[in-house]
Amino acid sequence: QVQLQESGPGLVKPSQTLSLTCTVSGGSITTNYDYYWSWIRQPPGKGLEWMGAIAYSGSTYYSPSLKSRTSISRDTSKNQFTLQLSSVTPEDTAVYYCAMFRAGMPDYWGQGTQVTVSS
């Protein structure tokens, strides 16, 4: 059973960089060629938005609408992957989830973490 847990600050000031980490247990982020370790968010009152993913190889994929502000990296020694979203605005306020996708569908999700962008 794969488990994912998000961590990071719950409050970020406008124009700063949001940084979240997902710790994975029960599975390695460097094996299983068809797994994609992803970040998804849900702003209040809106639907889920896929932000990007990192593959077992370390290759990264981003939503075109967020690509210029998003970076996903990993620490294989800790079995973690990280989201960085730069130049945040209040519109980036959302619940942020990490998830493991396989064949285009999410198999496992973290519980989500609320991030509020406010001065």
Side-chain angles (χ1 to χ4, degrees), residues 78-93:
K78 297 180 180 178
N79 213 35
Q80 296 174 332
F81 61 106
T82 298
L83 169 73
Q84 290 193 310
L85 182 67
S86 63
S87 304
V88 297
T89 71
E91 286 67 41
D92 294 308
T93 294

Side-chain angles (χ1 to χ4, degrees), residues 21-61:
T21 296
C22 183
T23 301
V24 179
S25 58
S28 171
I29 64 172
T30 59
T31 57
N32 301 103
Y33 69 93
D34 58 346
Y35 291 174
Y36 291 84
W37 305 93
S38 304
W39 288 98
I40 302 100
R41 68 180 182 179
Q42 185 169 29
K46 297 185 179 180
L48 294 168
E49 179 183 23
W50 179 83
M51 301 181 69
I54 186 165
Y56 81 104
S57 61
S59 297
T60 51
Y61 307 87

Side-chain angles (χ1 to χ4, degrees), residues 9-20 40-44 46 49 51 65-70 83-97 113-118:
L11 180 64
V12 182
K13 295 184 185 299
S15 81
Q16 292 188 340
T17 296
L18 178 162
S19 183
L20 296 173
I40 302 100
R41 68 180 182 179
Q42 185 169 29
K46 297 185 179 180
E49 179 183 23
M51 301 181 69
S65 64
L66 295 170
K67 185 175 182 179
S68 64
R69 299 196 292 132
T70 307
L83 169 73
Q84 290 193 310
L85 182 67
S86 63
S87 304
V88 297
T89 71
E91 286 67 41
D92 294 308
T93 294
V95 178
Y96 285 76
Y97 299 91
T113 186
Q114 173 70 47
V115 177
T116 300
V117 179
S118 175

